[in-house]
Amino acid sequence: MEKRRLYMDYSATTPVKKEVLDEMMPYFTENFGNASSFHTFGREAKTALDKARGQVANLINAKPNEIYFTAGGTESDNWAIEGVAFAHRSKGNHIITSKIEHHGVLHICEYLEKHHGFEVTYLDVDAEGRVKLDELEKAIKDTTILISIMFANNEIGTIQPIKEIGEIAKKHNVLFHTDAVQAAGNVPIDVKELNVDLMSMSSHKIYGPKGIGALYIKTGTKLHSFVHGGAQERRRRAGTENMPSIVGYGKAAELAKTNMDEHIERLTSLRTKLIDGILEKIPYTRVNGSLEDRLPGNVNFSFEFIEGEGILLMLDMLGIAASSGSACTSGSLDPSHVLMAIGLPHEIAHGSLRLSIGDFTTEDDIDYIIEKLPAVIERLRMMSPLYDAVIKQK
Ligand SMILES: *Cc1c(COP(=O)(O)O)cnc(C)c1O
């Protein structure tokens, strides 16, 4: 059997780019200083810390002192939501989010409901995965303190009307947090044009190392700390700075900003080719998510009559690494909460496949998938009683 190693799961994580790794290496060894120390080693680290903060700020047109380094997207989500909830408890206990958020948002909301007396509204989305603005506005009450809606969805790629959501939040004097882990570095973001108060970002989705991310906190936004200890990050996020990773994240952010236009054009063209090629060759297939407002590298299909796990297994045997829309890998047989929220019936949600394209994906890779996937789907359908019934009916 032909064996390749074709990575099509860039939404799960990305490899560290060589330029990024090269920048990081000295900070493990000769430049190992603690940025809080009052000596040359410390000052060198502090200089590198400031530079990286500037690079991340520049990616979203923020001020450097509005960027706080964290241990990744999940911590940023948890911090933003819990931090605002605790700091604004005297004003109210109501939070609005959506049904399609990442678990980094959903599970902190559930925790606040269960253990701290908060009330959370989980908004429905439309068939393409967009929050409905009129329903959002209707959900706001006197006790609402925070709206948290993701910038772009990690499963179906849909980009939300962030500017409009920000305007609604501002009009009602409610803080607005957005999980931009999939968006920051993949699409242009200018926080000065959006009414965003808090924004979560992560390094390992944009060719930086894992375990490092940032929270953008607009100047003047009140929130409690999440990690308590030393005076790092202007007393808001304690713990000795993870210098190699911070330097790497800074470089990854700089590269993302510099290459943005080319990145978007290339990935979008590969995405279109993949979607068109598969829809032409495989019947009973749908594309999930919006075709207009979509992350450049995201493709998500549902193939009727079959199970996503079977597709993943057979693709893996062909060397293609992809992701299913279902949560079966985490031990549950329920289909993904995102696919359920856009209204897919159970049996269709189960047959879903996410192929995410990145900077190392080639035309040849896309051709290989368009060549191999139809036979995989056909073989699985042949074993499916559901498909059998449909074919016999015809
Ligand atoms: C990956 C991801 C996260 C989690 O980020 P980590 O850095 O892995 O903790 C949060 N939100 C979204 C939308 C993501 O895609």
Side-chain angles (χ1 to χ4, degrees):
M1 191 195 292
E2 195 176 351
K3 182 76 185 177
R4 298 188 29 158
R5 252 172 79 86
L6 206 182
Y7 187 75
M8 290 294 289
D9 205 10
Y10 284 85
S11 292
T13 194
T14 61
V16 172
K17 281 187 175 164
K18 182 163 187 314
E19 302 96 301
V20 171
L21 184 65
D22 288 346
E23 295 272 328
M24 291 172 68
M25 289 310 276
Y27 291 89
F28 287 105
T29 51
E30 61 262 40
N31 301 347
F32 62 88
N34 183 324
S36 305
S37 301
F38 288 104
H39 46 57
T40 310
F41 292 84
R43 274 194 303 275
E44 277 169 5
K46 180 72 170 62
T47 303
L49 178 61
D50 291 343
K51 180 179 170 196
R53 200 185 304 286
Q55 287 164 319
V56 174
N58 190 36
L59 181 62
I60 58 166
N61 199 27
K63 290 178 256 168
N65 66 7
E66 294 174 316
I67 299 296
Y68 296 82
F69 288 110
T70 66
T74 303
E75 185 190 313
S76 297
D77 285 343
N78 274 238
W79 179 16
I81 294 168
E82 188 185 285
V84 166
F86 288 176
H88 297 264
R89 187 70 179 84
S90 60
K91 185 196 165 202
N93 71 336
H94 182 231
I95 297 167
I96 300 171
T97 185
S98 83
K99 289 188 176 157
I100 62 161
E101 299 298 312
H102 189 271
H103 286 141
V105 166
L106 290 177
H107 288 174
I108 184 68
C109 286
E110 286 164 19
Y111 166 80
L112 290 172
E113 279 182 295
K114 202 167 166 202
H115 299 286
H116 292 279
F118 285 87
E119 183 201 346
V120 182
T121 299
Y122 300 89
L123 293 173
D124 287 321
V125 292
D126 68 18
E128 293 189 343
R130 251 186 238 99
V131 164
K132 300 167 197 158
L133 296 174
D134 52 336
E135 286 189 14
L136 168 67
E137 190 154 19
K138 265 189 252 150
I140 298 174
K141 322 191 250 193
D142 290 346
T143 51
T144 308
I145 51 175
L146 177 68
I147 295 169
S148 179
I149 304 286
M150 71 199 316
F151 207 112
N153 185 268
N154 46 300
E155 290 188 35
I156 58 173
T158 300
I159 297 173
Q160 299 292 338
I162 291 299
K163 192 167 180 191
E164 288 80 355
I165 296 171
E167 276 161 14
I168 292 172
K170 193 174 179 182
K171 185 173 137 199
H172 294 271
N173 198 21
V174 174
L175 290 173
F176 177 31
H177 164 250
T178 185
D179 173 344
V181 171
Q182 291 288 336
N186 279 314
V187 294
I189 297 180
D190 181 344
V191 288
K192 296 234 164 67
E193 283 187 347
L194 307 167
N195 285 306
V196 171
D197 300 293
L198 302 126
M199 190 163 93
S200 302
M201 299 176 275
S202 181
S203 149
H204 76 100
K205 306 280 173 79
I206 61 162
Y207 312 93
K210 295 171 184 51
I212 189 78
L215 182 62
Y216 158 78
I217 307 176
K218 189 177 176 177
T219 306
T221 307
K222 260 185 24 199
L223 83 166
H224 284 187
S225 290
F226 187 69
V227 178
H228 303 269
Q232 291 89 359
E233 297 296 277
R234 280 115 42 238
R235 298 189 175 277
R236 285 181 119 167
R237 200 283 187 180
T240 301
E241 298 86 352
N242 179 354
M243 287 309 304
S245 295
I246 287 173
V247 166
Y249 183 24
K251 184 66 187 179
E254 183 195 291
L255 290 174
K257 174 92 183 179
T258 311
N259 303 330
M260 181 76 70
D261 292 347
E262 191 206 328
H263 168 86
I264 293 175
E265 201 183 305
R266 220 179 72 81
L267 267 59
T268 306
S269 129
L270 293 173
R271 180 188 81 194
T272 307
K273 179 176 168 142
L274 180 55
I275 291 177
D276 292 350
I278 293 302
L279 288 183
E280 192 195 314
K281 286 199 168 182
I282 310 181
Y284 304 109
T285 301
R286 54 165 284 159
V287 180
N288 298 311
S290 165
L291 284 176
E292 305 89 55
D293 302 316
R294 191 182 194 97
L295 287 171
N298 176 285
V299 176
N300 189 308
F301 294 116
S302 289
F303 303 103
E304 284 187 57
F305 318 117
I306 53 175
E307 297 275 334
E309 293 64 54
I311 311 173
L312 286 192
L313 233 74
M314 287 182 66
L315 285 181
D316 195 42
M317 286 193 286
L318 294 165
I320 301 168
S323 160
S324 86
S326 86
C328 295
T329 42
S330 57
S332 129
L333 280 174
D334 293 335
S336 122
H337 64 287
V338 177
L339 297 176
M340 297 310 288
I342 61 170
L344 290 194
H346 254 262
E347 65 277 13
I348 294 181
H350 265 301
S352 299
L353 175 72
R354 180 185 73 183
L355 294 161
S356 40
I357 299 164
D359 284 351
F360 300 105
T361 312
T362 64
E363 292 263 348
D364 189 50
D365 294 338
I366 301 296
D367 287 333
Y368 181 71
I369 295 168
I370 297 172
E371 183 199 326
K372 297 289 178 187
L373 189 55
V376 167
I377 302 300
E378 185 61 17
R379 251 184 87 186
L380 289 166
R381 282 180 175 166
M382 284 307 174
M383 297 185 272
S384 154
L386 291 166
Y387 190 55
D388 208 40
V390 168
I391 296 303
K392 284 205 181 105
Q393 250 181 27
K394 293 218 155 168

